[in-house]
PDB file of all heavy atoms in Angstrom:
ATOM      1  N   ASP A  11     131.864  63.667  80.501  1.00 97.00           N
ATOM      2  CA  ASP A  11     131.693  62.249  80.912  1.00 97.00           C
ATOM      3  C   ASP A  11     132.944  61.725  81.620  1.00 97.00           C
ATOM      4  O   ASP A  11     134.112  62.270  81.391  1.00 97.00           O
ATOM      5  CB  ASP A  11     131.519  61.425  79.659  1.00 97.00           C
ATOM      6  CG  ASP A  11     130.635  60.138  80.001  1.00 97.00           C
ATOM      7  OD1 ASP A  11     130.545  59.721  81.170  1.00 97.00           O
ATOM      8  OD2 ASP A  11     130.108  59.514  79.005  1.00 97.00           O
ATOM      9  N   ILE A  12     132.654  60.928  82.543  1.00 98.00           N
ATOM     10  CA  ILE A  12     133.759  60.207  83.204  1.00 98.00           C
ATOM     11  C   ILE A  12     133.686  58.707  82.840  1.00 98.00           C
ATOM     12  O   ILE A  12     132.732  58.108  82.984  1.00 98.00           O
ATOM     13  CB  ILE A  12     133.620  60.359  84.799  1.00 98.00           C
ATOM     14  CG1 ILE A  12     133.677  61.878  85.128  1.00 98.00           C
ATOM     15  CG2 ILE A  12     134.732  59.538  85.500  1.00 98.00           C
ATOM     16  CD1 ILE A  12     133.394  62.124  86.587  1.00 98.00           C
ATOM     17  N   CYS A  13     134.823  58.223  82.287  1.00 97.00           N
ATOM     18  CA  CYS A  13     134.821  56.893  81.680  1.00 97.00           C
ATOM     19  C   CYS A  13     135.846  55.971  82.303  1.00 97.00           C
ATOM     20  O   CYS A  13     136.956  56.484  82.711  1.00 97.00           O
ATOM     21  CB  CYS A  13     134.987  56.941  80.175  1.00 97.00           C
ATOM     22  SG  CYS A  13     133.709  57.894  79.339  1.00 97.00           S
ATOM     23  N   GLN A  14     135.622  54.677  82.344  1.00 97.00           N
ATOM     24  CA  GLN A  14     136.564  53.747  82.771  1.00 97.00           C
ATOM     25  C   GLN A  14     137.593  53.424  81.702  1.00 97.00           C
ATOM     26  O   GLN A  14     137.292  53.455  80.455  1.00 97.00           O
ATOM     27  CB  GLN A  14     135.865  52.399  83.139  1.00 97.00           C
ATOM     28  CG  GLN A  14     134.931  52.559  84.336  1.00 97.00           C
ATOM     29  CD  GLN A  14     135.613  52.840  85.688  1.00 97.00           C
ATOM     30  OE1 GLN A  14     136.692  52.268  85.896  1.00 97.00           O
ATOM     31  NE2 GLN A  14     135.023  53.658  86.506  1.00 97.00           N
ATOM     32  N   ARG A  15     138.825  53.273  82.067  1.00 97.00           N
ATOM     33  CA  ARG A  15     139.827  52.904  81.086  1.00 97.00           C
ATOM     34  C   ARG A  15     139.445  51.656  80.309  1.00 97.00           C
ATOM     35  O   ARG A  15     138.896  50.824  80.872  1.00 97.00           O
ATOM     36  CB  ARG A  15     141.178  52.806  81.660  1.00 97.00           C
ATOM     37  CG  ARG A  15     141.368  51.711  82.700  1.00 97.00           C
ATOM     38  CD  ARG A  15     142.791  51.635  83.160  1.00 97.00           C
ATOM     39  NE  ARG A  15     143.118  52.785  84.112  1.00 97.00           N
ATOM     40  CZ  ARG A  15     144.301  53.220  84.352  1.00 97.00           C
ATOM     41  NH1 ARG A  15     145.353  52.569  83.829  1.00 97.00           N
ATOM     42  NH2 ARG A  15     144.517  54.238  85.178  1.00 97.00           N
ATOM     43  N   GLY A  16     139.873  51.678  79.063  1.00 98.00           N
ATOM     44  CA  GLY A  16     139.555  50.440  78.233  1.00 98.00           C
ATOM     45  C   GLY A  16     138.126  50.477  77.570  1.00 98.00           C
ATOM     46  O   GLY A  16     137.938  49.723  76.666  1.00 98.00           O
ATOM     47  N   THR A  17     137.395  51.417  77.947  1.00 98.00           N
ATOM     48  CA  THR A  17     136.008  51.578  77.293  1.00 98.00           C
ATOM     49  C   THR A  17     136.160  52.622  76.115  1.00 98.00           C
ATOM     50  O   THR A  17     137.238  53.261  75.947  1.00 98.00           O
ATOM     51  CB  THR A  17     135.002  52.089  78.226  1.00 98.00           C
ATOM     52  OG1 THR A  17     135.290  53.353  78.801  1.00 98.00           O
ATOM     53  CG2 THR A  17     134.813  51.077  79.407  1.00 98.00           C
ATOM     54  N   SER A  18     134.994  52.899  75.496  1.00 98.00           N
ATOM     55  CA  SER A  18     135.020  53.794  74.411  1.00 98.00           C
ATOM     56  C   SER A  18     133.833  54.769  74.585  1.00 98.00           C
ATOM     57  O   SER A  18     132.859  54.461  75.232  1.00 98.00           O
ATOM     58  CB  SER A  18     134.828  53.057  73.021  1.00 98.00           C
ATOM     59  OG  SER A  18     135.867  52.202  72.762  1.00 98.00           O
ATOM     60  N   LEU A  19     134.080  56.012  74.062  1.00 98.00           N
ATOM     61  CA  LEU A  19     133.084  57.009  74.120  1.00 98.00           C
ATOM     62  C   LEU A  19     132.873  57.661  72.754  1.00 98.00           C
ATOM     63  O   LEU A  19     133.813  57.886  72.033  1.00 98.00           O
ATOM     64  CB  LEU A  19     133.453  58.100  75.102  1.00 98.00           C
ATOM     65  CG  LEU A  19     132.513  59.303  75.207  1.00 98.00           C
ATOM     66  CD1 LEU A  19     131.233  58.899  75.984  1.00 98.00           C
ATOM     67  CD2 LEU A  19     133.119  60.563  75.863  1.00 98.00           C
TER      68      LEU A  19
END
Side-chain angles (χ1 to χ4, degrees):
Chain A
D11 208 342
I12 300 173
C13 300
Q14 296 291 323
R15 65 178 67 200
T17 63
S18 298
L19 175 71

